[in-house]
């Protein structure tokens, strides 16, 4: 799967992933009101509004970007209708030829990880029929429980040509409470990075592994260290824009050829119309504002090379 992502990044010259992390606060009032008029003040109405919001944004940006990253929690908060909107969003993005990084941060004991891996990346067999329940292309996972929790995901990726992004050094302010602690001479995030490199060694295609890493843009010096520890791992970089990461801080995550990393922006794009910079588009033009924000992000990242 990683070769598909790299190919699309090269083609579009856009190491960018748009985080489809909607909240009702981001959804313009007219979309929510339309859904409520049809289905009342229900979870179904919220889910419909969110899917319509996603659909319009995808329609506006799909030709500019290689991938999207829906955060499943933003859908789970609306129960089963929200999860249905999540699945509809993935399917629609695939129709638009976008790769989908499912941001679910799963990870548990072996048998449970296997079930998670099948549900999000693989296929379940019902009688003689195999069905892909969710069918993401990549999945974010949490390695805190060790190899027992990670290997089932790696094995499922090998079966179905899928990929992973494993949490290594996250962008949130309190990540250092655990991730920066020393074990001997090495920080925990360095030890996790070394394991990511090992887990992906036999999945390398065209220079990169199907087993990638999540490293926050807010920690560029650590990103530089991890780039060396994980030479074959593609790095998913959250924290750009709204969380404080800047383009200048992104360079350590990339290799000299401009590959090796893909940068996420969520509310900075999907809620761009709420920013003063894009206020001229108004709520009715939220999708056009998102497109403009993607173009600006693309140019901003290009400026560092």
């Amino acid at each position: 799967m990683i070769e598909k992502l790299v190919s699309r990044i090269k083609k579009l010259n856009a190491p960018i992933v748009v985080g489809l992390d909607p909240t009702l606060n981001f959804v313009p009032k007219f979309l929510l009101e339309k859904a409520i008029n049809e289905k009342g003040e229900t979870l179904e109405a919220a889910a419909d509004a969110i899917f319509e919001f996603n659909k319009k944004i995808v329609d506006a940006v799909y030709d500019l970007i290689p991938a999207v990253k829906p955060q499943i929690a933003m859908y789970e908060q609306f129960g089963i209708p929200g999860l249905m909107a999540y699945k509809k969003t993935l399917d629609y993005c695939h129709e638009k030829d976008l790769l989908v990084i499912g941001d679910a941060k799963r990870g548990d004991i072996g048998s449970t990880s296997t079930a998670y891996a099948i549900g999000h990346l693989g296929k379940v067999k019902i009688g003689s029929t195999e069905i892909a329940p969710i069918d993401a292309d990549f999945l974010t996972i949490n390695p805190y429980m060790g190899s027992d929790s990670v290997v089932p995901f790696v094995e499922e990726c090998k079966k179905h040509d899928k990929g992973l992004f494993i949490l290594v050094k996250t962008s949130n302010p309190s990540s250092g409470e655990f991730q920066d602690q020393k074990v001997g001479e090495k920080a925990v995030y360095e030890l996790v990075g070394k394991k990511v490199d090992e887990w992906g060694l036999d999945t390398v295609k065209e220079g990169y592994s199907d087993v990638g890493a999540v490293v926050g843009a807010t920690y560029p010096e650590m990103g530089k260290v991890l780039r060396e520890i994980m030479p074959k791992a593609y790095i998913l970089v959250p924290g750009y824009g709204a969380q404080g990461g800047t383009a200048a801080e992104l360079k350590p995550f990339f290799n000299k050829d401009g590959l090796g990393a893909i940068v996420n922006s969520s509310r900075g794009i999907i809620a761009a119309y709420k920013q003063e910079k894009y206020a001229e588009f108004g709520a009715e033009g939220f999708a056009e504002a998102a497109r403009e924000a993607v173009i600006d992000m693309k140019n901003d990242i290009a400026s560092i090379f």
Side-chain angles (χ1 to χ4, degrees):
M1 183 55 65
I2 191 63
E3 75 277 15
K4 296 179 184 177
L5 180 60
V6 173
S7 175
R8 294 182 190 190
I9 289 172
K10 286 180 178 179
K11 180 180 178 181
L12 297 169
N13 192 27
I16 292 169
V17 56
V18 172
L20 295 177
D21 304 350
T23 68
L24 289 185
N25 186 50
F26 294 166
V27 175
K29 189 176 179 180
F30 73 91
L31 281 182
L32 183 58
E33 288 179 344
K34 180 176 182 292
I36 289 174
N37 286 337
E38 293 175 356
K39 295 191 174 177
E41 294 181 347
T42 62
L43 293 173
E44 287 77 11
D48 283 1
I50 281 171
F51 174 67
E52 190 62 26
F53 176 73
N54 287 347
K55 185 172 178 290
K56 290 185 181 300
I57 286 180
V58 168
D59 286 345
V61 304
Y62 75 93
D63 61 320
L64 300 174
I65 60 173
V68 294
K69 183 179 72 65
Q71 163 51 257
I72 198 169
M74 299 304 180
Y75 303 83
E76 286 179 337
Q77 66 183 317
F78 300 108
I80 299 304
L83 286 172
M84 292 173 69
Y86 179 79
K87 172 59 174 167
K88 286 173 63 179
T89 295
L90 266 66
D91 290 346
Y92 189 73
C93 290
H94 281 148
E95 288 176 19
K96 291 294 187 178
D97 205 28
L98 289 166
L99 293 175
V100 176
I101 302 170
D103 192 357
K105 299 181 178 69
R106 296 298 193 251
D108 210 316
I109 62 169
S111 60
T112 311
S113 276
T114 297
Y116 277 139
I118 290 170
H120 286 271
L121 299 168
K123 294 181 178 180
V124 64
K125 191 168 186 178
I126 303 171
S128 59
T129 303
E130 287 192 326
I131 301 171
I134 295 177
D135 201 25
D137 299 301
F138 294 84
L139 188 69
T140 62
I141 68 170
N142 189 328
Y144 191 75
M145 294 177 72
S147 294
D148 289 346
S149 68
V150 173
V151 171
F153 287 100
V154 177
E155 293 304 313
E156 205 64 27
C157 287
K158 291 177 184 176
K159 289 180 189 176
H160 300 287
D161 189 23
K162 303 285 187 170
L164 301 172
F165 287 103
I166 299 177
L167 302 182
V168 176
K169 175 58 186 174
T170 55
S171 59
N172 57 301
S174 65
S175 65
E177 290 178 358
F178 297 126
Q179 296 166 17
D180 297 359
Q181 300 307 304
K182 291 291 184 70
V183 179
E185 296 297 316
K186 300 292 186 182
V188 169
Y189 71 82
E190 294 178 87
L191 298 178
V192 177
K194 187 174 184 299
K195 290 300 294 184
V196 167
D197 184 64
E198 293 173 7
W199 286 322
L201 281 178
D202 61 350
T203 70
V204 175
K205 302 163 189 169
E206 298 184 16
Y208 290 102
S209 167
D210 281 328
V211 180
V214 178
V215 183
T218 45
Y219 299 104
E221 289 304 313
M222 296 173 185
K224 183 178 181 180
V225 170
L226 287 164
R227 178 72 282 167
E228 294 179 359
I229 292 173
M230 309 178 297
K232 303 296 185 183
Y234 231 80
I235 299 177
L236 171 62
V237 188
Y240 170 87
Q243 291 187 51
T246 66
E249 293 170 327
L250 295 173
K251 197 163 187 178
F253 300 91
F254 289 89
N255 290 315
K256 292 180 180 179
D257 59 2
L259 298 172
I262 184 166
V263 183
N264 177 77
S265 180
S266 299
R267 60 185 180 271
I269 290 174
I270 67 174
Y273 76 98
K274 288 178 170 283
Q275 300 176 36
E276 184 178 350
K277 182 177 181 180
Y278 306 105
E280 65 186 90
F281 291 96
E284 293 282 346
F286 72 93
E288 290 77 12
R291 182 179 178 86
E292 194 66 23
V294 168
I295 292 170
D296 288 345
M297 181 180 176
K298 179 179 176 180
N299 292 335
D300 192 30
I301 294 174
S303 71
I304 68 177
F305 297 109

